Amino acid sequence: MDDWLRRYAGQSRRGNTAAVWVITDASHAVACYATLSMTSIDRSAGPKPLAKGAPRQVPALLIGRLATDSRAAGLGLGTAMVKHILATAAELNIKAACRAVVVTALNADAARWWQRFGFVPLDPEDSASLDLYLLTADIAATLAGP
Ligand SMILES: CC(C)(COP(=O)(O)OP(=O)(O)OC[C@H]1O[C@@H](n2cnc3c(N)ncnc32)[C@H](O)[C@@H]1OP(=O)(O)O)[C@@H](O)C(=O)NCCC(=O)NCCS
């Protein structure tokens, strides 16, 4: 995660393949970062709530990466970043529709972390799947939660 930020964040931003959001400390060192990109999900690969009435390619927002510096773990930065991302998705949806936010969790622990925010597996028959989504229509409920 550190390596990607140092080596590829700048070129991804300049190349318009990923927007990089950061939370910094008082000395401007990155304490948490996330990347966002437009994507689409094949309707046939998505569950009913995602696929219903949608075109073959369902528009979505991809969280490519999210990481907190281990020295700042547990301070709420990751949660603040996710809430910022979800608010961004809701705003973006007004100007260029996106039906869902999608992420591939790093591992099973991380998948449980995403589930805190309402993310569920793209494949409803595979509860262990690391490919997760949250409907844009459900973002308001997540943001209103604790
Ligand atoms: C997941 C991650 C972003 C959380 O960042 P953070 O800033 O420490 O998160 P917050 O402070 O907002 O939340 C802390 C809570 O999340 C839990 N948590 C943190 N990392 C977790 C993980 N990998 N799996 C499950 N729970 C985790 C903590 O136990 C804590 O729980 P509590 O609220 O019950 O005390 C961070 O641990 C990280 O960078 N992990 C490695 C990369 C990763 O897994 N990214 C996300 C998947 S792509």
Side-chain angles (χ1 to χ4, degrees):
M1 291 287 191
D2 290 9
D3 194 48
W4 189 92
L5 186 64
R6 279 193 207 97
R7 295 174 65 169
Y8 302 114
Q11 73 187 54
S12 299
R13 178 58 279 186
R14 288 188 296 278
N16 293 335
T17 55
V20 185
W21 290 90
V22 298
I23 297 174
T24 66
D25 65 16
S27 62
H28 304 294
V30 174
C32 178
Y33 84 93
T35 67
L36 291 181
S37 310
M38 310 292 232
T39 191
S40 67
I41 308 296
D42 195 304
R43 190 180 55 198
S44 64
K48 240 192 196 154
L50 194 78
K52 198 172 169 220
R56 197 159 355 137
Q57 292 298 319
V58 185
L61 183 69
L62 171 72
I63 305 173
R65 288 168 179 269
L66 171 77
T68 294
D69 185 325
S70 52
R71 288 163 296 188
L75 300 179
L77 299 184
T79 299
M81 184 64 91
V82 172
K83 289 191 168 178
H84 171 76
I85 289 169
L86 297 184
T88 300
E91 213 178 298
L92 183 69
N93 178 48
I94 295 168
K95 293 191 176 172
C98 86
R99 179 165 275 197
V101 180
V102 296
V103 67
T104 298
L106 211 55
N107 50 42
D109 269 354
R112 277 190 289 281
W113 195 74
W114 287 110
Q115 283 162 13
R116 289 176 171 215
F117 303 99
F119 283 79
V120 292
L122 263 176
D123 179 352
E125 308 209 328
D126 179 6
S127 59
S129 168
L130 299 179
D131 294 325
L132 310 171
Y133 79 99
L134 173 68
L135 286 179
T136 307
D138 293 338
I139 285 177
T142 295
L143 293 180

